[in-house]
Amino acid sequence: MISFEGVTKIYPDGRTAVAGLSFEVQRGEFFVLIGPSGCGKTTVLKMINRLIETSGGRIAIDGRPIGDYKLNELRWNIGYVLQQIALFPHMSIAENVAVVPELMKTPHEETDKRVERLLRMVGLEPDVYRDKNPAELSGGQQQRVGVVRALAADPDILLMDEPFSALDPVTREKLQNDLLDLQRDIHKTIVFVTHDMREALKLGDRICLMNEGEIVQIGTPAEIVHRPANDFVREFLGDAGAGGGRSGLPELTAEDLAELLQPDSRLMNDGAVTIAGSTAVSELLRHFAAEERLLVRRGDDVIGLLDRERTLKRLAREFEEGGEA
Ligand code: ADP
Ligand code: MG
């Protein structure tokens, strides 16, 4: 768990980039920071791994102030993905992703296994890509390697600063989907920065909208869309919030279908697929193409179960009633 308590950042030139931020990111949560350029998103991210020191307030990880951790210990536990990841050009993909595990003296076998699994999970067949050089990969493939590299040391926390912003829309969409799939498996605590509301609504368990170094609203995608706190939120939403309407699907999330939820401890121990409570209907349908049942998660807790047949029946009813939930 990451907690901010009254955190400020005043740069040496006197500019207040972050003004008294307080919020918590739960373990296993996909937390999205969004806001206009210059609102302080990158500053917030870099304060978490101490690339930037705070000017005031307190940041803690699992209840312990970040200043109490050894810097290496802190950084190794926090993966970091940037918009333009810089792979070492003279090293193979495998060598690039194993840099931190090497520093940590993780046994090679363990690293190899984890890296293979991660490469596969982001759609890069290890046998094909392991020995390639970064220059042989497309931009999208390089970003995938960046994600694998950030996860290679098996950190608890993953910080991502506009990781897909430089990619074309099709590649970007693919990487978003792969990241969601990956997160279903690995359950990291993710703080993801973007300035794209569509991306935020699609990925986030919760979204934190910032402006001029302050928090404007924190909420689930459904809360942000249906209960924007003020005109700034509404304006920032633009037509992104109309996503559900645009596709003709009811604007419901997995949690909204709560009447169907029945926790089932057998399934939980069975490695069943879990999805975030904020998952939109369009995403649900994608899952039900492959899964009979889905476990619904809030933060780290499983709060219930969605059954394909009953969910689809409920949605059919929704359509008949004109989509008015
Ligand atoms: P974002 O990532 O949301 O675009 P940043 O966190 O990069 O915003 O920047 C927040 C504010 O702090 C901006 O006004 C920016 O100009 C300023 N800023 C960022 N880095 C520095 C720095 N090293 N020195 C002075 N001001 C900075
Ligand atoms: Mg930034």
Side-chain angles (χ1 to χ4, degrees):
M1 198 253 286
I2 307 169
S3 65
F4 274 59
E5 276 175 42
V7 173
T8 58
K9 176 64 192 180
I10 302 167
Y11 282 108
D13 64 1
R15 161 126 209 155
T16 301
V18 168
L21 283 200
S22 298
F23 63 89
E24 284 185 356
V25 182
Q26 301 307 317
R27 185 172 271 272
E29 184 174 33
F30 199 131
F31 191 82
V32 176
L33 278 175
I34 188 169
S37 178
C39 74
K41 305 181 294 293
T42 295
T43 303
V44 167
L45 222 55
K46 286 185 171 172
M47 286 191 295
I48 297 173
N49 63 5
R50 288 181 58 198
L51 283 173
I52 294 178
E53 294 296 332
T54 56
S55 313
R58 196 181 98 123
I59 303 176
I61 293 176
D62 295 333
R64 190 170 155 208
I66 52 172
D68 287 4
Y69 291 86
K70 282 195 201 121
L71 200 54
N72 275 349
E73 193 191 348
L74 182 81
R75 299 252 173 93
W76 286 346
N77 193 35
I78 302 179
Y80 189 37
V81 187
L82 299 165
Q83 185 176 331
Q84 293 281 335
I85 67 148
L87 296 171
F88 299 109
H90 56 283
M91 282 161 56
S92 72
I93 298 307
E95 287 165 345
N96 261 287
V97 296
V99 170
V100 174
E102 285 285 323
L103 289 172
M104 293 169 69
K105 308 208 184 311
T106 310
H108 286 135
E109 239 173 80
E110 194 184 318
T111 304
D112 288 351
K113 257 194 229 148
R114 186 178 306 133
V115 166
E116 273 199 14
R117 186 166 152 259
L118 286 166
L119 282 172
R120 213 166 268 133
M121 282 163 89
V122 300
L124 297 172
E125 191 47 49
D127 289 344
V128 178
Y129 290 97
R130 195 188 284 117
D131 298 321
K132 285 199 192 288
N133 284 320
E136 296 176 81
L137 270 56
S138 69
Q141 288 170 333
Q142 292 193 27
Q143 282 308 99
R144 287 168 197 270
V145 173
V147 175
V148 172
R149 184 173 65 179
L151 291 169
D154 201 19
D156 290 328
I157 296 170
L158 187 58
L159 307 179
M160 308 183 83
D161 197 348
E162 311 214 18
F164 307 145
S165 297
L167 304 172
D168 66 86
V170 176
T171 307
R172 176 191 259 224
E173 174 105 27
K174 273 196 204 132
L175 264 76
Q176 290 168 348
N177 292 337
D178 286 350
L179 180 61
L180 283 173
D181 285 342
L182 186 68
Q183 171 66 350
R184 250 164 239 134
D185 254 305
I186 60 179
H187 291 304
K188 298 295 179 189
T189 304
I190 301 180
V191 185
F192 185 104
V193 165
T194 181
H195 56 256
D196 175 355
M197 190 48 108
R198 269 181 224 288
E199 185 165 74
L201 292 172
K202 173 170 179 177
L203 297 177
D205 292 322
R206 280 190 308 153
I207 296 168
C208 173
L209 177 58
M210 290 177 63
N211 191 30
E212 297 184 348
E214 295 180 1
I215 294 173
V216 183
Q217 185 173 4
I218 298 185
T220 63
E223 283 165 356
I224 300 274
V225 169
H226 297 304
R227 292 197 291 280
N230 57 28
D231 284 343
F232 179 81
V233 183
R234 268 185 283 275
E235 242 165 75
F236 208 82
L237 269 167
D239 60 359
R246 230 183 35 255
S247 64
L249 290 168
E251 292 176 9
L252 294 172
T253 64
E255 260 192 79
D256 294 329
L257 301 168
E259 67 194 39
L260 298 178
L261 298 177
Q262 353 167 291
D264 184 325
S265 57
R266 261 177 312 131
L267 263 170
M268 285 181 215
N269 299 328
D270 231 27
V273 169
T274 68
I275 57 167
S278 58
T279 302
V281 166
S282 53
E283 267 294 296
L284 272 182
L285 294 178
R286 210 167 70 81
H287 286 294
F288 277 133
E291 304 290 333
E292 194 74 40
R293 287 185 199 146
L294 298 167
L295 292 172
V296 181
R297 178 172 59 74
R298 191 191 291 135
D300 228 14
D301 298 324
V302 169
I303 56 173
L305 175 104
L306 280 174
D307 167 277
R308 173 161 61 189
E309 198 185 325
R310 287 200 287 170
T311 305
L312 294 184
K313 275 191 185 145
R314 160 77 199 273
L315 288 175
R317 215 164 60 228
E318 205 72 45
F319 276 114
E320 280 165 15
E321 289 162 10
E324 272 156 22

